[in-house]
């Protein structure tokens, strides 16, 4: 027997309409550009919806964005999927070959690009013949705009369009909530990038997940700052979640300068912010120079947050960095860390250990661990280590135009490639990526645990541990470490610091002090580049690991 409830589809048009009707007075602030209310953003979005029709963009077409975090990008977040097109957000730090591959693979019809970013993508335009229009999002960069009939100005395009009228949900009627809404490609570290195709249903449910109390818990009184880029996995769902909750949004623009971000957090009284650990590391030395008294929740993700970094924030501003776990394939948030009521009376050392875990899965997300060899589900005892597998309504069930059956189990769970434990309370603790484990003399060494131990030294800014081939032991760990400016710490001092924390045979064979670590386009440490460095013979490793541009 079916229930007698209305089968109303879950759509991004509802997110926009809710913000327009209930929270019209709330603001979207873009650093350097000023502020608009949600009502004004909605009016701009209505005009953009008409402009997409004027450009002849068909339903289901992929509309690419190559942009930083600002209100025009937010308008695209809303108008493109609400009008039955697919928002394809592109990583602005991709190398040209990956950029051209994914634009071609997605068959993008239109590309919206920040003026400042034109030099990164326009040289590829001649090889991207499927793209019919290039729409430039204005900024004060002064970058020359190509004299090409395909190139249009965003503000002229939008201001010249009549606004779509009526209810968004009625005007852009969408009866199938499984219709694609967004497309984001994985980093492609182990092969060509793979496209994850989100649906309206998955995006709305994921947005509601960010409102879940006891996790991120976005609410109407929040001021939300997504430092995490909008080009990556819907900026962790924070823009959509903020609009659902009625929270104000603060968008930092293209700059990730620590002082810029801290000034913005203080001036706008930001309550919730999300960023990768490398960004939080850059802000840490300056925390006490700014009034961050409004802050209630800082979210870290993309890679493990060193416990020492999280505790440094707790000591400085009273708010630790809360761990999260997720993937592009999980929209991307799957689990959120932090303590719960059962930890209130625990010893402080135990509470620190809990905060160091990746946390509990969000409502509607299911997780399990399985034996790597047999696939048998392992117990939730906090000790057994297995491959982390995940299922849920905002978890990918396949990849766009790619057969990747090995990425899923026979019963449809996503195989994450992470090794983890799950305890009786459901807390995930990542042991390592399967590809990052170090096998030395037949025994496993966790690079994550070693990195955490090294990062606990007060002079360490960043640390990464990778495996180097060894003729006797098969693999041995090598640590790359960035020290704080002015530090006189030595490799021997770092080894002495971690000796009491790990088994003796875990100690790295070499500690390489470097000025910076290479980063992927989303701000994670690139262990692929470090492995290449470790394997290069007769070359100065310090020269090989110069830092790339950060978020």
């Amino acid at each position: 027997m079916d229930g007698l409830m209305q089968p109303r589809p879950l759509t991004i048009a509802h997110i926009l309409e809710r913000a327009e009707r209930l929270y019209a007075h709330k603001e979207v602030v873009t650093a350097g550009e000023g502020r608009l209310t949600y009502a004004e953003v909605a009016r701009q979005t209505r005009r953009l919806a008409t402009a997409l029709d004027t450009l002849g963009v068909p339903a289901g077409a992929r509309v690419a964005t190559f942009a930083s975090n600002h209100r025009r990008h937010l308008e695209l977040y809303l108008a493109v999927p609400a009008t039955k097109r697919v928002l394809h957000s592109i990583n602005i730090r991709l190398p040209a070959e990956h950029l051209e591959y994914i634009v071609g693979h997605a068959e993008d019809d239109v590309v919206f690009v920040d003026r400042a970013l034109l030099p990164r993508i326009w040289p590829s335009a001649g090889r991207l013949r499927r793209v019919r229009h290039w729409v430039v999002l204005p900024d004060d960069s002064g970058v020359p705009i190509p004299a090409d009939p395909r190139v249009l100005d965003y503000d002229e395009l939008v201001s010249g369009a009549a606004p779509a009228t009526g209810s968004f949900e009625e005007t852009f009627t969408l009866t199938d909530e499984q219709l694609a809404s967004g497309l984001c490609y994985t980093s492609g570290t182990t092969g060509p990038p793979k496209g994850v195709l989100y649906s309206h249903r998955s995006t709305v449910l994921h947005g509601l997940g960010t409102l879940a109390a006891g996790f991120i818990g976005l609410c109407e009184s929040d001021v939300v700052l997504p430092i995490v880029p909008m080009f990556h996995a819907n900026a962790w769902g924070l823009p959509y979640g903020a609009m659902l909750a009625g929270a104000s949004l603060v968008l930092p623009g293209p700059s990730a300068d620590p002082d810029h971000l801290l000034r913005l957090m203080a001036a706008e009284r930001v309550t919730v912010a999300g960023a990768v650990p490398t960004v939080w590391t850059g802000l840490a030395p300056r925390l006490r120079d700014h009034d961050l008294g409004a802050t209630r929740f800082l979210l870290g993700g993309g890679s493990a947050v060193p416990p020492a970094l999280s505790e440094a924030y707790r000591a400085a501003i009273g708010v630790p960095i809360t761990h999260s776990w997720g993937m592009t394939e999980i929209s991307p948030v799957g689990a959120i860390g932090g303590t719960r009521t059962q930890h209130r009376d625990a010893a402080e050392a135990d509470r620190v250990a809990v905060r160091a875990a990746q946390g509990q899965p969000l409502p509607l997300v299911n997780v399990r661990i399985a034996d790597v060899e047999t696939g048998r589900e392992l117990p939730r005892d906090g000790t057994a280590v297995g491959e982390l597998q995940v299922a849920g309504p905002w978890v990918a069930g396949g990849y766009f135009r790619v057969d990747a059956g090995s990425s899923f189990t026979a019963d449809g769970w996503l195989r994450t490639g992470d090794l983890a434990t799950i305890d009786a309370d459901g807390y995930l603790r990542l042991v390592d990526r399967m590809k990052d484990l170090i096998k030395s003399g037949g025994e496993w060494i966790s690079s994550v645990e070693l990195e955490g131990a090294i990062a606990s030294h007060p002079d360490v800014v960043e640390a990464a541990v990778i495996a180097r081939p060894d003729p006797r032991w098969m693999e041995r760990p090598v640590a790359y470490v960035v020290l704080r400016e002015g530090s006189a710490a030595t490799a021997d001092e770092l080894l002495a610091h971690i000796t009491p924390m790990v088994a003796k045979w875990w100690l790295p064979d070499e500690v390489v002090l470097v000025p910076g670590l290479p980063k992927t386009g989303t701000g994670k440490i690139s262990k692929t580049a470090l492995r290449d460095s470790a394997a290069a013979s007769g070359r100065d490793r310090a020269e090989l690991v110069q830092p790339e541009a950060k978020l």
Side-chain angles (χ1 to χ4, degrees):
M1 177 183 294
D2 291 338
L4 297 176
M5 308 306 290
Q6 296 180 9
R8 302 277 294 185
L10 305 178
T11 73
I12 291 171
H14 174 75
I15 297 177
L16 175 57
E17 189 158 296
R18 178 177 174 83
E20 182 184 38
R21 286 183 170 177
L22 303 186
Y23 308 114
H25 62 290
K26 288 301 189 75
E27 290 184 328
V28 177
V29 177
T30 300
E33 291 187 18
R35 55 192 72 225
L36 295 179
T37 64
Y38 276 147
E40 291 169 322
V41 168
R43 281 197 290 274
Q44 287 289 102
T45 303
R46 289 179 180 278
R47 291 184 181 278
L48 176 55
T50 302
L52 292 170
D53 291 338
T54 301
L55 293 178
V57 182
R62 271 69 68 200
V63 176
T65 61
F66 198 72
S68 60
N69 294 20
H70 50 67
R71 62 93 175 164
R72 293 179 181 87
H73 204 170
L74 180 66
E75 292 162 10
L76 287 157
Y77 257 51
L78 299 166
V80 172
T83 58
K84 303 185 182 71
R85 284 104 178 179
V86 181
L87 181 79
H88 174 203
S89 53
I90 302 175
N91 187 331
I92 65 176
R93 295 186 178 88
L94 285 175
E97 61 271 22
H98 281 181
L99 174 63
E100 293 174 16
Y101 171 82
I102 69 169
V103 172
H105 187 266
E107 298 183 350
D108 291 324
D109 186 60
V110 184
V111 175
F112 288 79
V113 53
D114 284 352
R115 182 174 181 173
L117 297 175
L118 275 169
R120 297 190 184 181
I121 193 170
W122 186 250
S124 298
R127 293 181 288 278
L128 300 172
R129 289 298 179 183
R130 285 184 176 271
V131 179
R132 295 188 302 113
H133 302 288
W134 297 81
V135 183
V136 178
L137 305 169
D139 55 44
D140 59 2
S141 65
V143 170
I145 297 177
D148 188 295
R150 295 175 297 166
V151 177
L152 305 170
D153 178 86
Y154 179 89
D155 283 355
E156 292 179 3
L157 177 70
V158 173
S159 64
T165 59
S167 161
F168 272 102
E169 290 195 90
E170 294 173 359
T171 301
F172 306 112
T173 304
L174 189 153
T175 57
D176 183 5
E177 61 185 15
Q178 297 290 359
L179 199 69
S181 66
L183 178 63
C184 186
Y185 280 73
T186 63
S187 59
T189 56
T190 57
K194 297 190 290 292
V196 180
L197 194 60
Y198 308 119
S199 67
H200 280 261
R201 178 176 185 267
S202 72
T203 302
V204 171
L205 289 173
H206 182 269
L208 288 171
T210 67
L211 275 59
F215 292 89
I216 302 175
L218 295 181
C219 63
E220 185 270 341
S221 60
D222 276 323
V223 179
V224 181
L225 172 64
I227 302 173
V228 56
M230 291 175 71
F231 63 67
H232 180 62
N234 297 326
W236 298 354
L238 294 175
Y240 289 135
M243 296 189 77
L244 277 168
S248 294
L249 266 172
V250 178
L251 303 174
S255 174
D257 175 75
D259 285 322
H260 162 71
L261 294 173
L262 287 168
R263 284 194 300 267
L264 196 59
M265 291 177 70
E268 298 299 332
R269 307 298 291 167
V270 167
T271 63
V272 176
V276 296
T278 51
V279 171
W280 292 131
T281 298
L283 270 59
R286 301 168 174 85
L287 290 176
R288 298 183 190 274
D289 299 335
H290 300 268
D291 178 8
L292 302 182
T295 305
R296 71 163 184 87
F297 192 88
L298 297 176
L299 184 64
S303 58
V305 177
L309 178 63
S310 178
E311 293 306 305
Y313 270 74
R314 190 167 70 90
I317 64 172
V319 179
I321 300 171
T322 297
H323 245 134
S324 69
W325 169 81
M327 305 169 65
T328 303
E329 291 90 335
I330 309 176
S331 300
V333 183
I336 298 292
T339 57
R340 309 290 187 250
T341 56
Q342 66 266 35
H343 307 119
R344 286 175 180 167
D345 298 326
E348 183 55 29
D350 293 333
R351 290 168 60 84
V352 169
V354 172
R355 287 194 290 266
Q358 278 64 42
Q360 294 175 312
L362 267 64
L364 306 183
V365 175
N366 294 317
V367 296
R368 68 188 184 191
I369 53 173
D371 184 275
V372 175
E373 300 295 333
T374 66
R376 178 177 58 86
E377 185 171 355
L378 297 175
R380 298 168 179 251
D381 57 9
T383 301
V385 176
E387 182 187 32
L388 182 58
Q389 300 174 354
V390 60
W394 59 75
V395 178
Y399 292 99
F400 183 54
R401 294 176 171 170
V402 171
D403 181 10
S406 61
S407 297
F408 301 89
T409 65
D411 56 350
W413 288 55
L414 174 69
R415 301 182 60 197
T416 68
D418 286 325
L419 289 173
T421 66
I422 302 177
D423 68 18
D425 290 328
Y427 274 80
L428 308 179
R429 286 176 173 79
L430 294 189
V431 173
D432 217 336
R433 292 287 293 168
M434 291 173 66
K435 64 184 179 182
D436 290 339
L437 274 177
I438 301 164
K439 194 164 191 177
S440 181
E443 300 292 339
W444 293 108
I445 298 173
S446 167
S447 67
V448 170
E449 289 190 37
L450 263 181
E451 289 160 1
I454 296 168
S456 68
H457 189 284
D459 282 357
V460 171
V461 174
E462 289 183 306
V465 175
I466 53 96
R468 187 165 68 193
D470 184 270
R472 181 179 180 185
W473 302 108
M474 183 161 39
E475 291 179 337
R476 289 295 300 155
V478 175
Y480 291 85
V481 179
V482 180
L483 296 176
R484 298 195 183 280
E485 186 176 353
S487 170
T490 65
D492 286 343
E493 288 177 24
L494 297 179
L495 286 172
H497 173 74
I498 66 172
T499 296
M501 303 180 188
V502 300
K504 184 176 180 180
W505 58 275
W506 277 37
L507 293 174
D509 278 10
E510 184 178 8
V511 175
V512 184
L513 302 180
V514 294
L517 295 173
K519 304 296 194 302
T520 68
T522 53
K524 301 178 186 178
I525 294 171
S526 174
K527 290 196 173 183
T528 299
L530 290 174
R531 291 188 190 98
D532 292 343
S533 171
S537 60
R539 299 178 65 184
D540 184 353
R541 293 191 185 95
E543 291 181 358
L544 290 174
V545 293
Q546 293 298 316
E548 299 174 6
K550 297 181 180 180
L551 290 175

